[in-house]
């Protein structure tokens, strides 16, 4: 990454804070809804239905059919040194391939986002950490992919003048990492812990600055709508 990309990372932070806030509100609303209906009286049936829907959606989707850790690893990878088919499928070279990959990534983000709303309220062990990271990674990778196409069209001029002599200049994998940090921070309202988690996952010290920037912006945006994080919400719902 380069310093001229910092405003783009700030925008990802804003988006992550908004998505994290929206996810918390939807989780809370569904929790109140299931308690006011007969859904909470049939936890096994609820689990079976959500599991069936998840299996059908994942089976029909090109990216969701992969296990999430491997999919995240592919999203975080660049298009130069990878040697894996899954990463190759995420790399684009034209406007048509950009539209196709972006559509698949955004549909993947929407599916994981909605399924997480239901999964968190199930009476089985589950979590939000990996799904939140996956949603952010899909959105960040899409953002980086579109920027790559823009840079290819514009060339090393104007805003992208710093790209002269760099090939590639925009790395979508970096935006996937930053997107994961932004959404996770928006959901958990954590900052330092999120930075450490993403550093441990990627092992890239060079990504600390954009991760920290997006994490702080995401938390500020999310705090503007309320300071309760997902753990406070779950405790309140179960209390």
């Amino acid at each position: 990454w380069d310093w001229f990309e910092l405003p783009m990372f700030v925008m990802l932070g804003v988006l992550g804070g908004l998505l994290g806030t929206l996810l918390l509100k939807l989780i809370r609303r569904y929790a109140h809804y299931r308690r006011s209906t007969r859904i909470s009286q049939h936890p096994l049936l609820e689990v079976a239905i959500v599991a069936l829907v998840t299996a059908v959606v994942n089976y029909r989707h090109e990216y969701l059919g992969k296990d999430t850790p491997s999919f995240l690893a592919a999203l975080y990878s660049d298009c130069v040194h990878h040697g894996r088919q899954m990463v190759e499928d995420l790399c684009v070279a034209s406007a048509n391939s950009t539209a196709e990959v972006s559509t698949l990534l955004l549909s993947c983000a929407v599916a994981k986002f909605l399924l997480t709303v239901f999964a968190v309220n199930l009476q089985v062990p589950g979590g939000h950490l990996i799904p939140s990271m996956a949603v952010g990674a899909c959105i960040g990778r899409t953002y980086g992919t579109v920027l790559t196409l823009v840079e290819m069209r514009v060339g090393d001029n104007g805003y992208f003048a710093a790209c002269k002599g760099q090939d590639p200049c925009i790395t979508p994998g970096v935006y996937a990492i930053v997107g994961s940090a932004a959404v996770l921070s928006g959901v958990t309202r954590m900052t330092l812990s999120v930075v450490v988690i993403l550093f441990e996952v990627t092992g890239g010290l060079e990504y600390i600055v954009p991760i920290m920037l997006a994490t702080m912006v995401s938390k500020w945006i999310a705090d503007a709508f309320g300071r309760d994080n997902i753990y406070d919400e779950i405790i309140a719902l179960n209390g």
Side-chain angles (χ1 to χ4, degrees), residues 175-191:
Y175 288 85
I177 296 171
V178 175
S180 286
V183 174
L184 187 58
S185 179
V187 173
T188 63
R189 304 297 201 271
M190 297 189 303
T191 52

Side-chain angles (χ1 to χ4, degrees), residues 9-233:
F9 297 139
V10 170
M11 292 178 63
L12 267 182
V14 172
L15 184 58
L18 294 175
L19 285 175
T21 301
L22 178 61
L23 181 61
L24 286 181
K25 290 185 177 296
L26 290 178
I27 289 174
R28 182 169 53 198
R29 288 200 174 190
Y30 177 67
H32 288 304
Y33 172 76
R34 67 185 297 276
R35 287 189 176 186
S36 64
T37 61
R38 294 185 178 182
I39 296 178
S40 60
Q41 301 175 10
H42 306 282
L44 292 180
L45 179 60
E46 181 186 19
V47 170
I49 292 175
V50 173
L52 177 62
V53 172
T54 302
V56 171
V57 172
N58 288 355
Y59 179 77
R60 297 291 299 174
H61 199 282
E62 181 177 347
Y63 295 156
L64 289 173
K66 314 293 183 182
D67 63 285
T68 305
S70 298
F71 182 49
L72 277 176
L75 290 172
Y76 294 162
S77 301
D78 58 42
C79 294
V80 179
H81 308 290
H82 55 82
R84 288 179 293 172
Q85 182 60 42
M86 191 185 302
V87 180
E88 187 68 30
D89 294 338
L90 294 171
C91 298
V92 299
S94 64
N96 291 334
S97 58
T98 299
E100 180 181 356
V101 170
S102 298
T103 300
L104 287 171
L105 287 175
L106 289 177
S107 62
C108 179
V110 170
K112 282 191 174 292
F113 186 91
L114 295 177
L115 289 173
T116 302
V117 173
F118 297 101
V120 170
N121 284 285
L122 295 178
Q123 299 301 307
V124 293
H128 66 87
L129 186 68
I130 298 299
S132 297
M133 292 174 63
V135 170
C138 288
I139 293 174
R141 183 88 189 194
T142 303
Y143 189 46
T145 298
V146 173
L147 285 175
T148 300
L149 180 63
V150 172
E151 192 270 331
M152 290 169 57
R153 292 289 182 86
V154 174
D156 301 335
N157 303 305
Y159 189 77
F160 297 100
C163 291
K164 186 172 295 184
Q166 301 184 43
D167 187 26
C169 179
I170 304 295
T171 305
V174 175
Y175 288 85
I177 296 171
V178 175
S180 286
V183 174
L184 187 58
S185 179
V187 173
T188 63
R189 304 297 201 271
M190 297 189 303
T191 52
L192 182 60
S193 299
V194 172
V195 175
V196 173
I197 289 172
L198 267 297
F199 171 70
E200 291 289 341
V201 170
T202 62
L205 188 61
E206 64 272 22
Y207 307 135
I208 291 296
V209 172
I211 290 175
M212 289 178 62
L213 180 61
T215 299
M216 289 302 301
V217 172
S218 176
K219 186 180 186 302
W220 290 336
I221 295 296
D223 282 347
F225 296 91
R227 293 185 176 273
D228 290 341
N229 56 44
I230 190 170
Y231 307 110
D232 295 331
E233 293 285 355

